Amino acid sequence: NRAEGRVVDDRNANDFADDGEPGLAGVTVYGDADNDRQFDAGEPFAVTAADGTWGIPDAPIGDYVLRVLAPRA
């Protein structure tokens, strides 16, 4: 099982990745297994690449909310 996607700069704030909206690098995407809105030890995660893509190989089977943490400046 693999979870994957892309984080973009949603410049027009329409909640969709439109053509021309660039990917964001250095963003942590994690599966919030206990839905506490905190990135806890043991929760599956990935950090986005330069083009905003991310992938969590061997993602556990089950239901959980994916959340993002903005990179620290």
Side-chain angles (χ1 to χ4, degrees), residues 38-68:
Q38 300 289 322
F39 179 33
D40 301 316
E43 290 180 324
F45 77 97
V47 177
T48 59
D51 64 355
T53 58
W54 60 271
I56 302 173
D58 300 321
I61 295 173
D63 295 328
Y64 46 90
V65 176
L66 291 175
R67 300 194 191 280
V68 297

PDB file of all heavy atoms in Angstrom, residues 38-68:
ATOM      1  N   GLN A  38      -1.998  16.369  15.897  1.00  0.00           N
ATOM      2  CA  GLN A  38      -0.594  16.455  16.298  1.00  0.00           C
ATOM      3  C   GLN A  38       0.185  15.386  15.541  1.00  0.00           C
ATOM      4  O   GLN A  38      -0.279  14.263  15.391  1.00  0.00           O
ATOM      5  CB  GLN A  38      -0.431  16.200  17.802  1.00  0.00           C
ATOM      6  CG  GLN A  38      -1.175  17.173  18.685  1.00  0.00           C
ATOM      7  CD  GLN A  38      -0.557  18.548  18.659  1.00  0.00           C
ATOM      8  OE1 GLN A  38       0.658  18.701  18.611  1.00  0.00           O
ATOM      9  NE2 GLN A  38      -1.398  19.572  18.687  1.00  0.00           N
ATOM     10  N   PHE A  39       1.387  15.732  15.092  1.00  0.00           N
ATOM     11  CA  PHE A  39       2.262  14.772  14.432  1.00  0.00           C
ATOM     12  C   PHE A  39       2.981  13.992  15.521  1.00  0.00           C
ATOM     13  O   PHE A  39       3.904  14.487  16.166  1.00  0.00           O
ATOM     14  CB  PHE A  39       3.236  15.505  13.520  1.00  0.00           C
ATOM     15  CG  PHE A  39       4.207  14.618  12.800  1.00  0.00           C
ATOM     16  CD1 PHE A  39       3.861  13.346  12.395  1.00  0.00           C
ATOM     17  CD2 PHE A  39       5.473  15.074  12.521  1.00  0.00           C
ATOM     18  CE1 PHE A  39       4.761  12.534  11.728  1.00  0.00           C
ATOM     19  CE2 PHE A  39       6.391  14.279  11.849  1.00  0.00           C
ATOM     20  CZ  PHE A  39       6.030  13.008  11.454  1.00  0.00           C
ATOM     21  N   ASP A  40       2.528  12.775  15.768  1.00  0.00           N
ATOM     22  CA  ASP A  40       3.049  11.949  16.851  1.00  0.00           C
ATOM     23  C   ASP A  40       4.066  10.928  16.336  1.00  0.00           C
ATOM     24  O   ASP A  40       4.005  10.501  15.174  1.00  0.00           O
ATOM     25  CB  ASP A  40       1.896  11.175  17.521  1.00  0.00           C
ATOM     26  CG  ASP A  40       0.826  12.093  18.080  1.00  0.00           C
ATOM     27  OD1 ASP A  40       1.169  13.098  18.715  1.00  0.00           O
ATOM     28  OD2 ASP A  40      -0.367  11.789  17.874  1.00  0.00           O
ATOM     29  N   ALA A  41       4.957  10.514  17.203  1.00  0.00           N
ATOM     30  CA  ALA A  41       5.918   9.466  16.882  1.00  0.00           C
ATOM     31  C   ALA A  41       5.171   8.227  16.412  1.00  0.00           C
ATOM     32  O   ALA A  41       4.144   7.860  16.976  1.00  0.00           O
ATOM     33  CB  ALA A  41       6.777   9.145  18.105  1.00  0.00           C
ATOM     34  N   GLY A  42       5.670   7.620  15.368  1.00  0.00           N
ATOM     35  CA  GLY A  42       5.070   6.394  14.849  1.00  0.00           C
ATOM     36  C   GLY A  42       4.026   6.612  13.771  1.00  0.00           C
ATOM     37  O   GLY A  42       3.626   5.651  13.110  1.00  0.00           O
ATOM     38  N   GLU A  43       3.571   7.847  13.584  1.00  0.00           N
ATOM     39  CA  GLU A  43       2.602   8.095  12.515  1.00  0.00           C
ATOM     40  C   GLU A  43       3.344   8.156  11.180  1.00  0.00           C
ATOM     41  O   GLU A  43       4.436   8.718  11.091  1.00  0.00           O
ATOM     42  CB  GLU A  43       1.822   9.389  12.769  1.00  0.00           C
ATOM     43  CG  GLU A  43       0.869   9.230  13.935  1.00  0.00           C
ATOM     44  CD  GLU A  43       0.051  10.459  14.249  1.00  0.00           C
ATOM     45  OE1 GLU A  43       0.553  11.592  14.114  1.00  0.00           O
ATOM     46  OE2 GLU A  43      -1.103  10.276  14.682  1.00  0.00           O
ATOM     47  N   PRO A  44       2.760   7.563  10.123  1.00  0.00           N
ATOM     48  CA  PRO A  44       3.436   7.544   8.829  1.00  0.00           C
ATOM     49  C   PRO A  44       3.542   8.956   8.255  1.00  0.00           C
ATOM     50  O   PRO A  44       2.626   9.762   8.412  1.00  0.00           O
ATOM     51  CB  PRO A  44       2.533   6.657   7.969  1.00  0.00           C
ATOM     52  CG  PRO A  44       1.186   6.761   8.598  1.00  0.00           C
ATOM     53  CD  PRO A  44       1.436   6.934  10.071  1.00  0.00           C
ATOM     54  N   PHE A  45       4.688   9.242   7.601  1.00  0.00           N
ATOM     55  CA  PHE A  45       4.867  10.586   7.055  1.00  0.00           C
ATOM     56  C   PHE A  45       5.827  10.579   5.877  1.00  0.00           C
ATOM     57  O   PHE A  45       6.546   9.612   5.632  1.00  0.00           O
ATOM     58  CB  PHE A  45       5.387  11.538   8.138  1.00  0.00           C
ATOM     59  CG  PHE A  45       6.853  11.369   8.443  1.00  0.00           C
ATOM     60  CD1 PHE A  45       7.792  12.196   7.858  1.00  0.00           C
ATOM     61  CD2 PHE A  45       7.277  10.383   9.311  1.00  0.00           C
ATOM     62  CE1 PHE A  45       9.145  12.035   8.130  1.00  0.00           C
ATOM     63  CE2 PHE A  45       8.615  10.214   9.600  1.00  0.00           C
ATOM     64  CZ  PHE A  45       9.556  11.048   9.006  1.00  0.00           C
ATOM     65  N   ALA A  46       5.811  11.694   5.160  1.00  0.00           N
ATOM     66  CA  ALA A  46       6.769  11.953   4.090  1.00  0.00           C
ATOM     67  C   ALA A  46       6.991  13.454   4.024  1.00  0.00           C
ATOM     68  O   ALA A  46       6.164  14.236   4.486  1.00  0.00           O
ATOM     69  CB  ALA A  46       6.230  11.441   2.756  1.00  0.00           C
ATOM     70  N   VAL A  47       8.119  13.849   3.439  1.00  0.00           N
ATOM     71  CA  VAL A  47       8.422  15.259   3.207  1.00  0.00           C
ATOM     72  C   VAL A  47       8.417  15.481   1.702  1.00  0.00           C
ATOM     73  O   VAL A  47       8.992  14.687   0.945  1.00  0.00           O
ATOM     74  CB  VAL A  47       9.788  15.644   3.824  1.00  0.00           C
ATOM     75  CG1 VAL A  47      10.133  17.092   3.519  1.00  0.00           C
ATOM     76  CG2 VAL A  47       9.773  15.394   5.328  1.00  0.00           C
ATOM     77  N   THR A  48       7.757  16.555   1.263  1.00  0.00           N
ATOM     78  CA  THR A  48       7.623  16.797  -0.166  1.00  0.00           C
ATOM     79  C   THR A  48       8.965  17.097  -0.816  1.00  0.00           C
ATOM     80  O   THR A  48       9.847  17.726  -0.231  1.00  0.00           O
ATOM     81  CB  THR A  48       6.654  17.960  -0.458  1.00  0.00           C
ATOM     82  OG1 THR A  48       7.132  19.144   0.176  1.00  0.00           O
ATOM     83  CG2 THR A  48       5.247  17.648   0.001  1.00  0.00           C
ATOM     84  N   ALA A  49       9.078  16.653  -2.081  1.00  0.00           N
ATOM     85  CA  ALA A  49      10.252  16.911  -2.907  1.00  0.00           C
ATOM     86  C   ALA A  49      10.163  18.321  -3.487  1.00  0.00           C
ATOM     87  O   ALA A  49       9.198  19.056  -3.234  1.00  0.00           O
ATOM     88  CB  ALA A  49      10.305  15.873  -4.032  1.00  0.00           C
ATOM     89  N   ALA A  50      11.134  18.698  -4.282  1.00  0.00           N
ATOM     90  CA  ALA A  50      11.187  20.043  -4.864  1.00  0.00           C
ATOM     91  C   ALA A  50       9.936  20.386  -5.667  1.00  0.00           C
ATOM     92  O   ALA A  50       9.510  21.533  -5.697  1.00  0.00           O
ATOM     93  CB  ALA A  50      12.428  20.182  -5.739  1.00  0.00           C
ATOM     94  N   ASP A  51       9.316  19.381  -6.292  1.00  0.00           N
ATOM     95  CA  ASP A  51       8.113  19.627  -7.103  1.00  0.00           C
ATOM     96  C   ASP A  51       6.815  19.463  -6.315  1.00  0.00           C
ATOM     97  O   ASP A  51       5.727  19.507  -6.867  1.00  0.00           O
ATOM     98  CB  ASP A  51       8.094  18.721  -8.329  1.00  0.00           C
ATOM     99  CG  ASP A  51       7.999  17.248  -7.984  1.00  0.00           C
ATOM    100  OD1 ASP A  51       8.036  16.875  -6.788  1.00  0.00           O
ATOM    101  OD2 ASP A  51       7.887  16.438  -8.928  1.00  0.00           O
ATOM    102  N   GLY A  52       6.933  19.246  -5.005  1.00  0.00           N
ATOM    103  CA  GLY A  52       5.754  19.113  -4.147  1.00  0.00           C
ATOM    104  C   GLY A  52       5.208  17.707  -4.013  1.00  0.00           C
ATOM    105  O   GLY A  52       4.264  17.477  -3.262  1.00  0.00           O
ATOM    106  N   THR A  53       5.791  16.746  -4.721  1.00  0.00           N
ATOM    107  CA  THR A  53       5.291  15.376  -4.633  1.00  0.00           C
ATOM    108  C   THR A  53       5.763  14.716  -3.345  1.00  0.00           C
ATOM    109  O   THR A  53       6.809  15.047  -2.796  1.00  0.00           O
ATOM    110  CB  THR A  53       5.742  14.526  -5.833  1.00  0.00           C
ATOM    111  OG1 THR A  53       7.167  14.531  -5.906  1.00  0.00           O
ATOM    112  CG2 THR A  53       5.139  15.046  -7.138  1.00  0.00           C
ATOM    113  N   TRP A  54       4.970  13.780  -2.879  1.00  0.00           N
ATOM    114  CA  TRP A  54       5.299  13.029  -1.676  1.00  0.00           C
ATOM    115  C   TRP A  54       4.746  11.612  -1.830  1.00  0.00           C
ATOM    116  O   TRP A  54       3.833  11.372  -2.609  1.00  0.00           O
ATOM    117  CB  TRP A  54       4.726  13.683  -0.418  1.00  0.00           C
ATOM    118  CG  TRP A  54       3.224  13.805  -0.442  1.00  0.00           C
ATOM    119  CD1 TRP A  54       2.498  14.848  -0.948  1.00  0.00           C
ATOM    120  CD2 TRP A  54       2.274  12.855   0.014  1.00  0.00           C
ATOM    121  NE1 TRP A  54       1.155  14.599  -0.835  1.00  0.00           N
ATOM    122  CE2 TRP A  54       0.992  13.376  -0.238  1.00  0.00           C
ATOM    123  CE3 TRP A  54       2.377  11.606   0.611  1.00  0.00           C
ATOM    124  CZ2 TRP A  54      -0.180  12.690   0.092  1.00  0.00           C
ATOM    125  CZ3 TRP A  54       1.210  10.929   0.935  1.00  0.00           C
ATOM    126  CH2 TRP A  54      -0.044  11.478   0.673  1.00  0.00           C
ATOM    127  N   GLY A  55       5.315  10.683  -1.082  1.00  0.00           N
ATOM    128  CA  GLY A  55       4.828   9.314  -1.071  1.00  0.00           C
ATOM    129  C   GLY A  55       5.188   8.637   0.238  1.00  0.00           C
ATOM    130  O   GLY A  55       6.293   8.821   0.750  1.00  0.00           O
ATOM    131  N   ILE A  56       4.244   7.902   0.767  1.00  0.00           N
ATOM    132  CA  ILE A  56       4.475   7.115   1.978  1.00  0.00           C
ATOM    133  C   ILE A  56       4.404   5.646   1.558  1.00  0.00           C
ATOM    134  O   ILE A  56       3.322   5.099   1.371  1.00  0.00           O
ATOM    135  CB  ILE A  56       3.432   7.415   3.072  1.00  0.00           C
ATOM    136  CG1 ILE A  56       3.437   8.902   3.438  1.00  0.00           C
ATOM    137  CG2 ILE A  56       3.691   6.545   4.304  1.00  0.00           C
ATOM    138  CD1 ILE A  56       2.319   9.317   4.382  1.00  0.00           C
ATOM    139  N   PRO A  57       5.570   5.020   1.345  1.00  0.00           N
ATOM    140  CA  PRO A  57       5.559   3.607   0.973  1.00  0.00           C
ATOM    141  C   PRO A  57       5.112   2.760   2.168  1.00  0.00           C
ATOM    142  O   PRO A  57       5.318   3.144   3.319  1.00  0.00           O
ATOM    143  CB  PRO A  57       7.010   3.318   0.597  1.00  0.00           C
ATOM    144  CG  PRO A  57       7.806   4.340   1.318  1.00  0.00           C
ATOM    145  CD  PRO A  57       6.912   5.550   1.472  1.00  0.00           C
ATOM    146  N   ASP A  58       4.499   1.664   1.878  1.00  0.00           N
ATOM    147  CA  ASP A  58       4.042   0.755   2.934  1.00  0.00           C
ATOM    148  C   ASP A  58       3.143   1.457   3.947  1.00  0.00           C
ATOM    149  O   ASP A  58       3.239   1.217   5.151  1.00  0.00           O
ATOM    150  CB  ASP A  58       5.226   0.095   3.649  1.00  0.00           C
ATOM    151  CG  ASP A  58       6.095  -0.710   2.704  1.00  0.00           C
ATOM    152  OD1 ASP A  58       5.517  -1.366   1.806  1.00  0.00           O
ATOM    153  OD2 ASP A  58       7.319  -0.668   2.832  1.00  0.00           O
ATOM    154  N   ALA A  59       2.286   2.354   3.458  1.00  0.00           N
ATOM    155  CA  ALA A  59       1.338   3.026   4.348  1.00  0.00           C
ATOM    156  C   ALA A  59       0.425   1.982   4.969  1.00  0.00           C
ATOM    157  O   ALA A  59      -0.042   1.067   4.288  1.00  0.00           O
ATOM    158  CB  ALA A  59       0.511   4.045   3.567  1.00  0.00           C
ATOM    159  N   PRO A  60       0.175   2.077   6.258  1.00  0.00           N
ATOM    160  CA  PRO A  60      -0.684   1.091   6.906  1.00  0.00           C
ATOM    161  C   PRO A  60      -2.104   1.138   6.345  1.00  0.00           C
ATOM    162  O   PRO A  60      -2.608   2.198   5.989  1.00  0.00           O
ATOM    163  CB  PRO A  60      -0.677   1.490   8.376  1.00  0.00           C
ATOM    164  CG  PRO A  60       0.030   2.776   8.476  1.00  0.00           C
ATOM    165  CD  PRO A  60       0.646   3.096   7.170  1.00  0.00           C
ATOM    166  N   ILE A  61      -2.713  -0.021   6.258  1.00  0.00           N
ATOM    167  CA  ILE A  61      -4.096  -0.093   5.813  1.00  0.00           C
ATOM    168  C   ILE A  61      -4.990   0.432   6.924  1.00  0.00           C
ATOM    169  O   ILE A  61      -4.784   0.132   8.091  1.00  0.00           O
ATOM    170  CB  ILE A  61      -4.476  -1.538   5.458  1.00  0.00           C
ATOM    171  CG1 ILE A  61      -3.644  -2.000   4.260  1.00  0.00           C
ATOM    172  CG2 ILE A  61      -5.966  -1.657   5.160  1.00  0.00           C
ATOM    173  CD1 ILE A  61      -3.829  -3.467   3.931  1.00  0.00           C
ATOM    174  N   GLY A  62      -5.957   1.225   6.559  1.00  0.00           N
ATOM    175  CA  GLY A  62      -6.876   1.759   7.557  1.00  0.00           C
ATOM    176  C   GLY A  62      -7.316   3.159   7.196  1.00  0.00           C
ATOM    177  O   GLY A  62      -6.917   3.714   6.175  1.00  0.00           O
ATOM    178  N   ASP A  63      -8.124   3.716   8.044  1.00  0.00           N
ATOM    179  CA  ASP A  63      -8.628   5.068   7.854  1.00  0.00           C
ATOM    180  C   ASP A  63      -7.870   6.032   8.753  1.00  0.00           C
ATOM    181  O   ASP A  63      -7.753   5.799   9.956  1.00  0.00           O
ATOM    182  CB  ASP A  63     -10.121   5.142   8.201  1.00  0.00           C
ATOM    183  CG  ASP A  63     -10.979   4.325   7.260  1.00  0.00           C
ATOM    184  OD1 ASP A  63     -10.611   4.201   6.078  1.00  0.00           O
ATOM    185  OD2 ASP A  63     -12.016   3.820   7.710  1.00  0.00           O
ATOM    186  N   TYR A  64      -7.351   7.091   8.163  1.00  0.00           N
ATOM    187  CA  TYR A  64      -6.751   8.161   8.923  1.00  0.00           C
ATOM    188  C   TYR A  64      -6.767   9.425   8.085  1.00  0.00           C
ATOM    189  O   TYR A  64      -6.865   9.385   6.873  1.00  0.00           O
ATOM    190  CB  TYR A  64      -5.340   7.831   9.421  1.00  0.00           C
ATOM    191  CG  TYR A  64      -4.424   7.208   8.411  1.00  0.00           C
ATOM    192  CD1 TYR A  64      -3.615   7.987   7.595  1.00  0.00           C
ATOM    193  CD2 TYR A  64      -4.348   5.828   8.282  1.00  0.00           C
ATOM    194  CE1 TYR A  64      -2.778   7.405   6.672  1.00  0.00           C
ATOM    195  CE2 TYR A  64      -3.505   5.247   7.364  1.00  0.00           C
ATOM    196  CZ  TYR A  64      -2.719   6.039   6.555  1.00  0.00           C
ATOM    197  OH  TYR A  64      -1.893   5.458   5.643  1.00  0.00           O
ATOM    198  N   VAL A  65      -6.683  10.534   8.745  1.00  0.00           N
ATOM    199  CA  VAL A  65      -6.710  11.830   8.094  1.00  0.00           C
ATOM    200  C   VAL A  65      -5.289  12.215   7.716  1.00  0.00           C
ATOM    201  O   VAL A  65      -4.372  12.101   8.527  1.00  0.00           O
ATOM    202  CB  VAL A  65      -7.300  12.896   9.046  1.00  0.00           C
ATOM    203  CG1 VAL A  65      -7.253  14.274   8.431  1.00  0.00           C
ATOM    204  CG2 VAL A  65      -8.720  12.529   9.444  1.00  0.00           C
ATOM    205  N   LEU A  66      -5.105  12.668   6.477  1.00  0.00           N
ATOM    206  CA  LEU A  66      -3.806  13.211   6.076  1.00  0.00           C
ATOM    207  C   LEU A  66      -3.766  14.684   6.425  1.00  0.00           C
ATOM    208  O   LEU A  66      -4.714  15.424   6.180  1.00  0.00           O
ATOM    209  CB  LEU A  66      -3.595  13.026   4.574  1.00  0.00           C
ATOM    210  CG  LEU A  66      -3.395  11.602   4.103  1.00  0.00           C
ATOM    211  CD1 LEU A  66      -3.320  11.549   2.585  1.00  0.00           C
ATOM    212  CD2 LEU A  66      -2.142  10.990   4.709  1.00  0.00           C
ATOM    213  N   ARG A  67      -2.657  15.099   7.018  1.00  0.00           N
ATOM    214  CA  ARG A  67      -2.469  16.500   7.396  1.00  0.00           C
ATOM    215  C   ARG A  67      -1.114  16.972   6.895  1.00  0.00           C
ATOM    216  O   ARG A  67      -0.238  16.164   6.596  1.00  0.00           O
ATOM    217  CB  ARG A  67      -2.548  16.665   8.910  1.00  0.00           C
ATOM    218  CG  ARG A  67      -3.876  16.231   9.493  1.00  0.00           C
ATOM    219  CD  ARG A  67      -4.044  16.711  10.924  1.00  0.00           C
ATOM    220  NE  ARG A  67      -5.169  16.096  11.561  1.00  0.00           N
ATOM    221  CZ  ARG A  67      -6.451  16.467  11.417  1.00  0.00           C
ATOM    222  NH1 ARG A  67      -6.734  17.454  10.610  1.00  0.00           N
ATOM    223  NH2 ARG A  67      -7.411  15.848  12.064  1.00  0.00           N
ATOM    224  N   VAL A  68      -0.958  18.279   6.821  1.00  0.00           N
ATOM    225  CA  VAL A  68       0.320  18.841   6.384  1.00  0.00           C
ATOM    226  C   VAL A  68       0.862  19.792   7.441  1.00  0.00           C
ATOM    227  O   VAL A  68       0.099  20.446   8.157  1.00  0.00           O
ATOM    228  CB  VAL A  68       0.206  19.589   5.030  1.00  0.00           C
ATOM    229  CG1 VAL A  68      -0.200  18.646   3.924  1.00  0.00           C
ATOM    230  CG2 VAL A  68      -0.779  20.733   5.123  1.00  0.00           C
TER     231      VAL A  68
END
